[in-house]
């Protein structure tokens, strides 16, 4: 194969990984088919429940260096390919009794401004007087994951690529982006359960994600506009999907009330739970399994790392270049 020869490629899975891969590959001239039998009316996977925080510096507090490095470039990728990126930064706060958590967080990352109560009130007037110090990460951003996925689907549709529910007769090269469903070929993939709530609280306005640190129940609140917020998220070592537990609802709402009492009057618009696909080291992988390439294991960093994996995957198909996230199985060494 010569450099950048177009190929016929079938991408399996239309979550965040499959959509970014299909977008990147089709943008380079490959004939892409996108297949996801589960994406019928009302169908969705764990990408649907994401917070949509493009927060590489905050995530670096407990993540590996590639999350920080590739997460920064993801902000521009999403702006370019889906739009709707709000570049308002991130605020990190803590209650007075947990002040040490803010110091610990600051020691483990960078890219922030340590601010006092007056500056915090300028950034978020509705939080004025509630916190005397915070960390502000000005270069971070956020998006609405559901709108972003719809934007990628619209871009693919403009190229004549719709989501099919079955494999084509001529599939060409297979790229597996099925998340946890790929455990049939990736036995060391595990699920990490996350639960979230969508709240409507018109009595408070926020223009950026706010993270409330807590030694047991840290939360984030991401504004969706019109008084709607995404509240999340639990991290439970389980692949159980389905409804949110009563314990999680109580803990998440209690933490939101501690951030601002107005959330005590919020309407619970939606609840959701799903399982994120993760490998043992919590870093993603690109590799080969049988007759297919795969890209998987985004863990809690789907929107931060999917663009980098998509570009590395496309580079590999174009040139044979080995990706940074390449993983060899024992029989390939």
């Amino acid at each position: 194969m010569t450099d950048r020869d177009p190929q016929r490629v079938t991408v399996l899975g239309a979550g965040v990984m499959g959509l970014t891969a299909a977008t990147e590959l089709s943008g380079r001239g490959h004939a892409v088919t996108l297949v996801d039998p589960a994406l019928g009316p009302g169908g969705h996977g764990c990408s649907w429940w994401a917070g949509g925080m493009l927060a590489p510096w905050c995530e670096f507090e407990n993540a590996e260096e590639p999350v920080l490095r590739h997460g920064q470039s993801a902000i521009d990728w999403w702006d370019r390919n889906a739009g709707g990126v709000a570049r308002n930064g991130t605020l990190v706060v803590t209650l007075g009794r947990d002040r040490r958590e803010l110091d610990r967080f600051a020691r483990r990352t960078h890219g922030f401004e340590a601010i006092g109560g007056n500056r915090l009130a300028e950034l978020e007037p509705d939080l004025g007087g509630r916190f005397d110090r915070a960390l502000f990460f000005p270069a971070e951003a956020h998006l609405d994951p559901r709108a972003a996925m719809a934007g990628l689907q619209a871009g693919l549709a403009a190229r004549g690529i719709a989501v099919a529910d079955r494999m084509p007769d001529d599939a060409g090269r297979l790229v597996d982006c099925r998340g946890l469903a790929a455990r049939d070929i990736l036995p060391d993939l595990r699920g990490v359960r996350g639960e979230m709530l969508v709240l409507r609280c018109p009595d408070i306005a926020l223009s950026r994600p706010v993270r409330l640190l807590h030694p047991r129940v840290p939360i984030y609140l991401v504004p969706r506009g019109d008084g709607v917020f995404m509240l999340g998220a639990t991290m439970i070592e389980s692949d159980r999907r389905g409804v949110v537990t009563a314990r999680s609802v109580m803990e998440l709402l209690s933490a939101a009330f501690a951030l601002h009492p107005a959330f005590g009057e919020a309407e619970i618009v939606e609840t959701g739970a799903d399982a994120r696909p993760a490998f043992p080291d919590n870093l993603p992988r690109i590799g080969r399994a049988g007759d297919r390439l795969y890209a998987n294991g985004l863990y809690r960093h789907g929107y931060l790392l999917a663009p980098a994996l998509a570009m590395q995957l496309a580079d590999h198909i174009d040139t044979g270049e080995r990706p940074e996230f390449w993983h060899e199985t024992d029989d390939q060494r």
Side-chain angles (χ1 to χ4, degrees), residues 274-295:
D274 216 313
R276 313 166 179 95
F279 289 109
D281 62 358
N282 294 332
L283 286 175
R285 296 176 184 173
I286 298 171
R288 187 172 62 250
D291 64 344
R292 64 188 64 184
L293 292 170
Y294 66 85

Side-chain angles (χ1 to χ4, degrees), residues 163-181:
V163 181
D165 61 2
R166 64 187 67 185
M167 291 281 288
D169 293 333
D170 182 11
R173 193 159 195 176
L174 292 178
V175 175
D176 195 317
C177 302
R178 292 178 295 144
L180 276 182

Side-chain angles (χ1 to χ4, degrees), residues 98-116:
D98 300 319
R99 294 173 69 95
R100 290 182 180 178
E101 290 297 307
L102 197 67
D103 296 332
R104 180 194 59 80
F105 196 97
R107 287 194 301 269
R108 295 177 63 88
T109 187
H110 59 273
F112 62 84
E113 302 170 12
I115 62 174

Side-chain angles (χ1 to χ4, degrees), residues 85-102:
V85 174
R87 298 173 182 259
N88 298 331
T90 302
L91 273 175
V92 180
V93 299
T94 190
L95 302 176
R97 64 177 182 268
D98 300 319
R99 294 173 69 95
R100 290 182 180 178
E101 290 297 307
L102 197 67

Side-chain angles (χ1 to χ4, degrees), residues 8 38 42 66 76 84 97 100 180 243 246 253 270 290 292 299 329:
R8 183 172 297 280
D76 287 338
R97 64 177 182 268
R100 290 182 180 178
L180 276 182
V243 297
L253 288 177
E270 188 178 358
R292 64 188 64 184
Y299 184 46
T329 58

Side-chain angles (χ1 to χ4, degrees), residues 222-259:
V222 187
R224 292 283 187 259
D226 298 324
V228 175
F229 300 87
M230 169 80 79
L231 169 63
T234 60
M235 292 282 291
I236 302 169
E237 288 290 333
S238 169
D239 59 3
R240 186 168 67 89
R241 301 168 127 158
V243 297
V244 178
T245 65
R247 178 191 297 274
S248 294
V249 170
M250 289 188 294
E251 290 180 340
L252 290 170
L253 288 177
S254 176
F257 180 80
L259 179 71

Side-chain angles (χ1 to χ4, degrees), residues 29-93:
H30 296 287
V32 174
T33 301
L34 185 58
V35 178
D36 193 332
L39 204 67
H44 46 67
C46 66
S47 305
W48 183 260
W49 304 114
M53 295 177 294
L54 301 175
W57 288 272
C58 281
E59 289 299 309
F60 187 53
E61 178 264 338
N62 62 3
E64 300 295 329
E65 183 275 337
V67 175
L68 174 63
R69 175 162 40 93
H70 293 299
Q72 294 176 56
S73 61
I75 297 173
D76 287 338
W77 192 97
W78 283 108
D79 218 2
R80 186 168 62 249
N81 289 281
V85 174
R87 298 173 182 259
N88 298 331
T90 302
L91 273 175
V92 180
V93 299

Side-chain angles (χ1 to χ4, degrees), residues 91-94 115-136 208 210:
L91 273 175
V92 180
V93 299
T94 190
I115 62 174
N118 291 339
R119 174 63 172 146
L120 189 152
E122 292 175 3
L123 293 168
E124 296 293 355
D126 284 352
L127 296 183
R130 297 196 56 77
F131 304 95
D132 61 359
R133 56 194 289 248
L135 304 178
F136 176 47
R208 55 186 53 80
V210 177

